[in-house]
């Protein structure tokens, strides 16, 4: 019963941390505060490098002190990062905010999903992950609705309200229940965590199909992240949309993210290969259209397709990663996966940022190419996995 409580608390945290009130104008917010689109992508890449460096220490710490304490600490730092963002001005301040965020991302890597995975019945994992992701989307929807209806051009107010929401999430994290066994939490293990991390990382790279699987996840994830969070706002301005209109478009795009709840049913209906094929190819097609049009409605529709593809893919890839865990230190092994996925993001962020400086259409077309590469990698992994099944 106590573990079941974790699920509801994690749902509440997901909702509150989804309430990013400046989400519809995050790029415009940053530009108004004195940084360029390329500087934004540079900061993102630096953030990912820090995530890589912190993955090992955080994986070890999480498995030693427990997932509850790790989750609590990260929620508090998350709150502090939003305070910094609210007050930030210029490259240095936004870089500092992203440094704090890197601590959070690497700290939460594998921890939030492990808490959910170990707190629910194993047959319900994909469903729980879907609800968890959708509640984050629900928070985004609520926040974007408030922004469009009331906040509008007051960027700093949106930053303040976001900080308040994250503060409440940090308070809720205090009431989580530990899910790791006491022996493991206390660190009563003979094997060195550093050695285990190195062995898991070596195993991940040695198993080329597992590495390709993680790279394929990274390519779709980063394409979605860069285009729907950063480049979309530049595209909307290119199409002639106002800040207010961008806010309402953001609401529409956010609503479509709720479709992720159908991931489990659609996976069972189509099968993994066919379902993933639809998602990756749809994302690739959406990027091609974004690169070829300046029509506002067509651009919005393409962003929606990209968002739906990502939202439906997330619960599936989260379940696959958790099922593939082979060690008792789940957070450490999932951190190894994040290292590989984040390596992909470091490169793609710089590519997208530099291409968008020349022409945003080039960045969109590059997104299509990377989605196709990601699909090819996933397909090869799934075919290999089927051959190895008894």
């Amino acid at each position: 019963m106590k573990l079941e409580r974790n699920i509801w608390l994690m749902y509440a945290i997901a909702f509150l941390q989804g309430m990013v009130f400046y989400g519809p104008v995050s790029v415009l917010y940053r530009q108004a505060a004195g940084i360029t689109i390329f500087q934004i992508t540079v900061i993102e890449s630096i953030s990912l490098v820090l995530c890589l460096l912190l993955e090992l220490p955080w994986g070890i710490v999480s498995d030693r002190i427990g997932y509850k304490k790790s989750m609590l600490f990260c929620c508090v730092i998350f709150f502090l990062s939003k305070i910094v963002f609210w007050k930030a001005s210029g490259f240095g301040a936004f870089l500092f905010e992203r440094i704090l965020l890197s601590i959070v991302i690497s700290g939460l890597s594998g921890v939030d999903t492990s808490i959910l995975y170990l707190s629910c019945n194993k047959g319900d994992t994909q469903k729980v992950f879907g609800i968890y992701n959708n509640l984050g989307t629900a928070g985004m929807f609520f926040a974007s609705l408030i922004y469009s209806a009331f906040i509008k051009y007051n960027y700093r107010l949106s930053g303040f309200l976001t900080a308040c929401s994250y503060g409440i999430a940090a308070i809720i994290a205090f009431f989580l229940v530990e899910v790791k066994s006491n022996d493991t939490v206390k660190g009563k293990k003979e094997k060195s965590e550093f050695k285990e991390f190195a062995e898991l990382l070596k195993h991940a790279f040695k198993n080329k199909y597992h590495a390709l699987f993680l790279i394929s996840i990274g390519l779709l994830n980063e394409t979605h992240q860069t285009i729907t969070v950063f480049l979309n706002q530049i595209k909307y301005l290119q199409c002639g949309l106002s800040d207010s209109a961008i806010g309402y478009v953001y609401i529409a795009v956010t609503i479509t993210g709720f479709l992720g709840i159908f991931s489990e049913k659609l996976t069972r209906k189509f099968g993994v290969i066919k379902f993933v094929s639809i998602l990756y190819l749809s994302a690739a097609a959406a990027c091609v259209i974004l690169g070829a049009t300046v029509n506002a409605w067509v651009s919005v529709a393409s962003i929606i397709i990209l968002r739906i593809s990502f939202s439906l893919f997330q619960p599936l890839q989260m379940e696959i990663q958790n099922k593939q865990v082979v060690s008792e230190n789940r957070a450490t092994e999932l951190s190894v996966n994040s290292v590989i996925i984040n390596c992909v993001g470091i490169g793609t962020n710089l590519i997208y940022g530099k291409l968008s400086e020349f022409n945003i259409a080039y960045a969109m077309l590059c997104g299509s190419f990377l989605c196709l590469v990601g699909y090819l990698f996933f397909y090869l992994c799934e075919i290999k996995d089927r051959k190895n099944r008894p």
Side-chain angles (χ1 to χ4, degrees):
M1 192 67 180
K2 287 184 177 180
L3 291 183
E4 184 179 345
R5 185 179 74 184
N6 277 349
I7 298 175
W8 295 103
L9 292 175
M10 291 295 290
Y11 284 169
I13 291 171
F15 178 78
L16 289 164
Q17 291 182 344
M19 292 172 59
V20 181
F21 291 88
Y22 58 79
V25 290
S26 60
V27 172
L28 305 182
Y29 187 118
R30 290 174 170 92
Q31 288 180 321
I35 60 175
T36 67
I37 186 67
F38 182 63
Q39 287 178 320
I40 292 172
T41 56
V42 168
I43 289 173
E44 287 292 303
S45 292
I46 293 173
S47 175
L48 287 175
V49 170
L50 289 175
C51 286
L52 294 180
L53 296 176
L54 293 171
E55 280 290 350
L56 169 57
W58 256 123
I60 293 172
V61 168
S62 295
D63 284 318
R64 274 194 174 273
I65 69 174
Y67 299 154
K68 174 189 174 178
K69 291 180 180 177
S70 298
M71 186 74 188
L72 174 59
F73 179 82
C74 289
C75 285
V76 171
I77 299 300
F78 223 163
F79 168 50
L80 294 178
S81 75
K82 295 307 175 185
I83 293 177
V84 173
F85 189 94
W86 167 38
K87 294 292 187 178
S89 180
F91 182 85
F94 281 103
L95 176 60
F96 177 58
E97 179 267 336
R98 222 57 185 176
I99 290 173
L100 292 177
L101 189 60
S102 298
I103 296 173
V104 173
I105 292 173
S106 55
L108 289 179
S109 176
V111 170
D112 57 346
T113 56
S114 291
I115 291 174
L116 289 171
Y117 188 80
L118 296 173
S119 297
C120 68
N121 297 323
K122 296 304 173 280
D124 297 332
T125 53
Q126 189 174 353
K127 179 180 178 182
V128 169
F129 287 148
I131 295 173
Y132 180 67
N133 288 335
N134 271 354
L135 282 169
T137 302
M140 292 170 59
F141 168 74
F142 178 77
S144 58
L145 188 63
I146 295 297
Y147 175 86
S148 299
F150 302 105
I151 302 174
K152 297 184 178 178
Y153 298 100
N154 192 340
Y155 294 165
R156 293 298 178 180
L157 177 58
S158 67
F160 169 74
L161 293 176
T162 301
C164 292
S165 178
Y166 276 66
I168 298 172
I171 294 173
I172 291 176
F174 278 92
F175 299 95
L176 289 169
V177 177
E178 184 55 64
V179 291
K180 276 189 71 69
S181 64
N182 290 332
D183 286 345
T184 304
V185 171
K186 292 176 181 177
K188 296 180 180 178
K189 300 188 304 175
E190 296 180 359
K191 183 181 288 187
S192 164
E193 290 91 341
F194 284 94
K195 183 177 179 181
E196 181 177 13
F197 185 93
E199 288 177 355
L200 289 170
L201 188 60
K202 181 180 178 181
H203 174 74
F205 279 106
K206 187 176 181 181
N207 183 348
K208 64 180 181 180
Y209 288 100
H210 182 63
L212 289 178
F213 164 68
L214 296 174
I215 292 171
S216 72
I217 292 175
L219 290 173
L220 180 59
N221 286 3
E222 292 303 323
T223 296
H224 165 269
Q225 170 74 7
T226 305
I227 292 179
T228 65
V229 175
F230 300 114
L231 301 184
N232 62 332
Q233 294 168 38
I234 307 300
K235 185 68 178 180
Y236 294 153
L237 289 178
Q238 187 183 69
C239 295
L241 295 178
S242 65
D243 277 15
S244 180
I246 289 174
Y248 288 113
V249 168
Y250 188 85
I251 293 173
V253 174
T254 299
I255 289 174
T256 61
F258 288 117
L259 295 176
I261 195 66
F262 298 108
S263 177
E264 180 190 19
K265 292 182 179 179
L266 292 173
T267 301
R268 283 192 278 105
K269 179 177 180 179
F270 293 108
V272 173
I273 279 285
K274 188 173 182 180
F275 184 47
V276 170
S277 299
I278 294 171
L279 299 182
Y280 273 85
L281 295 178
S282 296
C287 292
V288 169
I289 295 171
L290 285 168
T293 186
V294 291
N295 182 280
W297 293 109
V298 175
S299 296
V300 171
S302 299
I303 292 292
I304 287 175
I305 291 172
L306 183 56
R307 179 60 187 273
I308 291 174
S309 299
F310 172 80
S311 299
L312 290 172
F313 182 62
Q314 283 304 95
L316 175 59
Q317 66 94 355
M318 289 165 69
E319 182 180 42
I320 293 174
Q321 284 197 63
N322 273 276
K323 282 185 175 180
Q324 291 178 346
V325 170
V326 296
S327 74
E328 66 176 4
N329 294 316
R330 181 171 297 274
T332 301
E333 188 164 346
L334 291 175
S335 290
V336 170
N337 292 352
S338 293
V339 166
I340 299 175
I341 293 172
N342 287 339
C343 281
V344 175
I346 292 170
T348 57
N349 277 327
L350 294 175
I351 291 171
Y352 284 129
K354 186 51 91 172
L355 287 175
S356 64
E357 281 199 333
F358 291 108
N359 191 321
I360 195 171
Y362 297 160
M364 300 299 186
L365 294 175
C366 177
S368 178
F369 172 74
L370 294 181
C371 284
L372 291 175
V373 173
Y375 166 65
L376 174 62
F377 287 172
F378 192 99
Y379 181 81
L380 291 174
C381 297
E382 184 64 19
I383 292 298
K384 180 65 177 181
D385 186 54
R386 287 187 176 188
K387 288 181 179 179
N388 292 335
R389 291 173 192 166

